[in-house]
Amino acid sequence: MTYFHLFLAFFFPNILAYGGGPAAIPLIEHEVVQKYGWMTKTEFSEVFALANSLPGPIATKMAGYIGFEVAGVLGSMVALFATVAPSLALMLLLLNLLYKHRHSLRVKRLSSYVLPAIAILMLSLTFDFAKTSYELNNLIPTILLLAASYFALEKFKIHPAFVILAGLLIGGLFL
């Protein structure tokens, strides 16, 4: 029964919270602290502070920790699945709907309008990364890394994971 309660405690807040993790935190707190009494407010605040200090989504880190505290490794997996299940189900439903109507002119038009926006966002991200690299490593290493990465990806078709690994090694050894 504990696993079922863990699932409900994380599923409903995440299906009701518009805006993702931060919006779900008060709802999760209500479930964990008031409804089921698995933690005190102070303990929950400490878990929240810890989850907030680590990289990644807050709600999934909290679900993993609280699930583990309540019911071990399986409890952690149940709480984590309950946290991502609403988004996963909605994404599968919407992708199925898009795939079903992929030949529709409206869907094709939607895709044609979304792609330039995604390209601009990626370009903006690239400039931000290049600026950060310039500030940390100066101009010459930044240009060399950008050029080497471009040629590795585009000309030699090296998998991006290997290019990232090479960048990490170069940064760790030489810069």
Side-chain angles (χ1 to χ4, degrees), residues 27 29-30 34-35 55 58-59 62 67 80 99 102 113 115 119 123 130 134 145 165:
L27 301 171
E29 179 188 16
H30 172 76
Q34 295 174 10
K35 186 172 182 180
I58 297 168
M62 291 185 72
L80 188 58
Y99 184 74
R102 69 185 179 277
Y113 291 152
L115 288 177
L123 189 62
Y134 168 72
L145 286 171
L165 182 61

Side-chain angles (χ1 to χ4, degrees), residues 114-135:
V114 169
L115 288 177
I118 292 172
I120 294 297
L121 289 172
M122 296 301 290
L123 189 62
S124 172
L125 187 63
T126 301
F127 282 124
D128 286 345
F129 283 159
K131 180 182 171 193
T132 302
S133 177
Y134 168 72
E135 291 169 355

Side-chain angles (χ1 to χ4, degrees), residues 122-175:
M122 296 301 290
L123 189 62
S124 172
L125 187 63
T126 301
F127 282 124
D128 286 345
F129 283 159
K131 180 182 171 193
T132 302
S133 177
Y134 168 72
E135 291 169 355
L136 296 174
N137 302 318
N138 296 323
L139 184 62
I140 300 299
T142 298
I143 291 173
L144 290 175
L145 286 171
L146 281 170
S149 299
Y150 176 78
F151 283 113
L153 291 168
E154 293 300 320
K155 183 168 175 58
F156 300 112
K157 305 296 183 200
I158 296 175
H159 192 279
F162 294 123
V163 175
I164 292 170
L165 182 61
L168 287 171
L169 289 173
I170 291 167
L173 294 174
F174 299 109
L175 302 178

